[in-house]
Amino acid sequence: MKVTEEERDVAPGVTQKLWLFNGTAPGPTLRGKIGDKFKITLVNDGSLGHSIDFHAGALAPDQPMRTINPGESLTYSFTATRAGIWMYHCSTMPMSQHIANGMFGAVVIDPPGLAPVDKEYLLVQSEIYAGPQGGVADLAKIQAEKPDAIVFNGYANQYKFAPLPAKVGERVRIWVLDAGPNRASSFHVIGGQFDTTWSEGRFLLDGSDPTAGAQVLPLAPAQGGFVELSFPEAGNYPFVSHSMVDAERGAAGVIHVVK
Ligand SMILES: [Cu+2]
């Protein structure tokens, strides 16, 4: 995985010099199953020290999570022994700024026996504390917890501009990770009800009781899970963080459902 520092748009008209894993924020989603061994080479092609911390594996952090200087690399190996959508992030201080400036992503380790679905999406919620145009995340705004935007997959309102498609009656699974760095997420689909929710290692609802449903998937910073639902009729179903000020800051999109 290569760390670079590159300009990216994070909202209409807002460009920031992000710190990135493999050129995107969120970084690439890694996926595997219980027992898989992951071996990641981290290469620092940036101008500052950076590092990586994978929540998906348990190990002594001292060496693999160490900060490396520009031009250096390290190898990080872990074995996935527990299912979930696990955060990874740069852990170089100030960590809040490294995460807010783009250094986060997801590792999905599928729960054994998870049934296939018709459509699967993955959303990572994060916060934008815009620095000057073309600059990096504003540390004073981060420390004051005053975000300019809350975003799914790195760009404010992107799925309002390009809705996620689904069909009436299809089973849709949406994985959600709250990368923070600071704010919780209350993931909700307007007009939808979740018949299945899974978070942090267990089903909250396993879909077996047709009279049981959920309206949100609550996630503290760094928590993740998934929801499943199907749509009763064609239409445009918005999804939001139901922390409403965050939805209004850009944590909102649309699922476009057709017959
Ligand atoms: Cu970093």
Side-chain angles (χ1 to χ4, degrees):
M1 214 177 276
K2 188 192 284 189
V3 177
T4 56
E5 301 171 5
E6 300 181 68
E7 288 200 356
R8 292 283 184 272
D9 291 347
V10 296
V14 182
T15 301
Q16 295 283 279
K17 187 167 194 178
L18 299 182
W19 304 334
L20 301 168
F21 291 115
N22 279 6
T24 62
T29 299
L30 309 184
R31 191 151 194 175
K33 57 187 190 310
I34 300 294
D36 282 355
K37 294 183 192 318
F38 290 76
K39 184 175 179 185
I40 293 99
T41 301
L42 183 72
V43 178
N44 187 351
D45 266 358
S47 64
L48 305 165
H50 293 291
S51 57
I52 198 162
D53 168 352
F54 286 98
H55 294 186
L59 45 64
D62 309 62
Q63 289 305 314
M65 297 185 199
R66 72 185 185 275
T67 292
I68 56 172
N69 290 317
E72 293 181 345
S73 64
L74 62 73
T75 300
Y76 191 127
S77 299
F78 66 89
T79 301
T81 60
R82 295 187 170 101
I85 174 168
W86 300 92
M87 185 176 175
Y88 68 83
H89 59 89
C90 181
S91 55
T92 299
M93 294 298 168
M95 208 187 298
S96 57
Q97 188 182 30
H98 283 251
I99 294 171
N101 208 49
M103 303 192 79
F104 56 85
V107 177
V108 175
I109 306 300
D110 285 297
L114 192 60
V117 289
D118 299 303
K119 289 228 164 54
E120 193 175 52
Y121 295 112
L122 189 151
L123 301 170
V124 180
Q125 178 178 314
S126 67
E127 298 141 30
I128 303 292
Y129 302 84
Q133 185 76 345
V136 303
D138 185 316
L139 190 55
K141 285 185 186 175
I142 295 169
Q143 290 171 339
E145 299 186 44
K146 292 205 179 317
D148 296 292
I150 311 295
V151 301
F152 288 121
N153 292 345
Y155 191 93
N157 293 315
Q158 70 169 300
Y159 302 108
K160 283 187 180 173
F161 303 124
L164 302 174
K167 288 186 180 144
V168 173
E170 278 187 330
R171 276 201 81 65
V172 178
R173 176 181 298 139
I174 306 171
W175 291 89
V176 187
L177 174 71
D178 182 11
N182 300 320
R183 295 184 66 79
S185 181
S186 183
F187 184 75
H188 173 71
V189 175
I190 296 171
Q193 290 182 325
F194 307 139
D195 60 45
T196 301
T197 56
W198 189 101
S199 176
E200 297 288 286
R202 83 287 191 213
F203 284 98
L204 308 172
L205 265 182
D206 68 4
S208 62
D209 178 354
T211 68
Q215 56 206 306
V216 298
L217 180 70
L219 299 171
Q223 286 191 315
F226 66 79
V227 299
E228 292 179 14
L229 75 169
S230 55
F231 297 93
E233 56 186 342
N236 293 296
Y237 295 74
F239 59 87
V240 295
S241 172
H242 216 293
S243 293
M244 288 318 305
V245 67
D246 290 349
E248 290 158 9
R249 286 168 167 151
V254 172
I255 303 169
H256 180 60
V257 178
V258 297
K259 282 209 165 121

